[in-house]
Amino acid sequence: MPTPPAPRPGAPLPTAVLFDMDGTLVDTEPYWIEAEIALVRAHGGTWTEADALAMVGTGLEDAAEVYRRAGVDLTVREIVEHLLGRVVARTRQRTVHRDGAPELVAALRERGVPLALVTSSEAPLAEVVVEAYGGPGTFDVVVTGDLGHPAKPAPDPYLLGAARLAERVGRPLDPRGMVAVEDSRTGVRSATAAGIYTVGVPHLVPLHDSGADTVLPTLAGVTPEDLGRLVAGVHA
């Protein structure tokens, strides 16, 4: 892939933007919830929508351990592959974008802001979503949950995304100017622990007390300059 252009001088832009995926770029959370409930109940356990909402943003292998304790008699890897397969199939069938997300990604891309996708989901689902957002090259870096690093809420996914972005663009990127966009409390904890200015955009769970630096009701109408002003205001 060609090296992304440098951002235009003079514009108040972030040095990079790192997006969560499920619930932030695409509305896959209902697919996960549906798959989780069906799996646990098929193994004689009890699993409600409230239980599923409490798991939003959790790494797949960490979540699989919880499902095992709820009665699912499968290995962690079997659980992950089962759920992932169901959600990939549903997402291929119908990908629902979150409001404003495609427009914001496109505008950031057009302005040359380096972009990363940082998700707890694994590569098969990320590939479907990246394709829905324009294909390889839309995001300069894709960090998925199957790369061997500790999962969110650990800072590792975002630290890895930031480091790989700097390598990808071939120039230093000031972490104080980076912005992360998240829809889950677990993801907010991960991004803020990595020292990245975090914008929470709630979907299925409230974020008003999550520790996000800013909480927006939606990405609809949000511009690259809006993100730049938010993070610049912290360091003014």
Side-chain angles (χ1 to χ4, degrees):
M1 292 184 292
T3 300
R8 296 174 182 175
L13 297 173
T15 57
V17 179
L18 300 89
F19 286 95
D20 172 56
M21 187 176 75
D22 294 288
T24 299
L25 292 179
V26 290
D27 188 8
T28 51
E29 297 295 2
Y31 300 157
W32 286 108
I33 291 171
E34 175 187 82
E36 292 162 17
I37 291 174
L39 176 65
V40 175
R41 290 181 179 176
H43 284 257
T46 300
W47 197 254
T48 67
E49 186 169 336
D51 294 323
L53 288 175
M55 301 295 291
V56 170
T58 304
L60 290 180
E61 293 194 352
D62 292 339
E65 292 286 4
V66 177
Y67 306 139
R68 281 171 53 83
R69 293 197 292 273
V72 178
D73 188 21
L74 297 172
T75 68
V76 165
R77 198 63 230 163
E78 287 171 336
I79 292 171
V80 169
E81 291 177 0
H82 173 84
L83 294 175
L84 188 63
R86 290 281 298 270
V87 176
V88 166
R90 291 296 305 276
T91 306
R92 278 204 184 104
Q93 185 180 51
R94 182 169 183 260
T95 302
V96 180
H97 295 81
R98 291 298 316 277
D99 288 346
E103 293 82 2
L104 179 57
V105 168
L108 289 162
R109 187 82 252 162
E110 192 273 333
R111 286 161 174 77
V113 177
L115 299 180
L117 183 64
V118 181
T119 176
S120 296
S121 291
E122 298 191 355
L125 182 55
E127 290 167 3
V128 174
V129 174
V130 168
E131 194 61 38
Y133 268 79
T138 299
F139 298 93
D140 303 298
V141 167
V142 176
V143 176
T144 55
D146 48 351
L147 297 181
H149 54 266
K152 301 175 185 179
D156 301 66
Y158 279 101
L159 292 173
L160 180 58
R164 289 191 173 180
L165 274 176
E167 293 174 4
R168 173 74 182 87
V169 303
R171 64 179 185 272
L173 295 172
D174 187 350
R176 297 176 303 169
M178 293 182 179
V179 174
V181 185
E182 273 283 354
D183 78 303
S184 75
R185 303 172 75 86
T186 300
V188 167
R189 288 169 59 195
S190 175
T192 56
I196 299 173
Y197 185 96
T198 304
V199 175
V201 185
H203 178 30
L204 298 182
V205 294
L207 297 180
H208 63 279
D209 59 348
S210 64
D213 295 285
T214 296
V215 177
L216 301 176
T218 176
L219 290 178
V222 176
T223 67
E225 290 77 13
D226 291 334
L227 297 183
R229 281 188 286 269
L230 285 172
V231 70
V234 174
H235 305 294

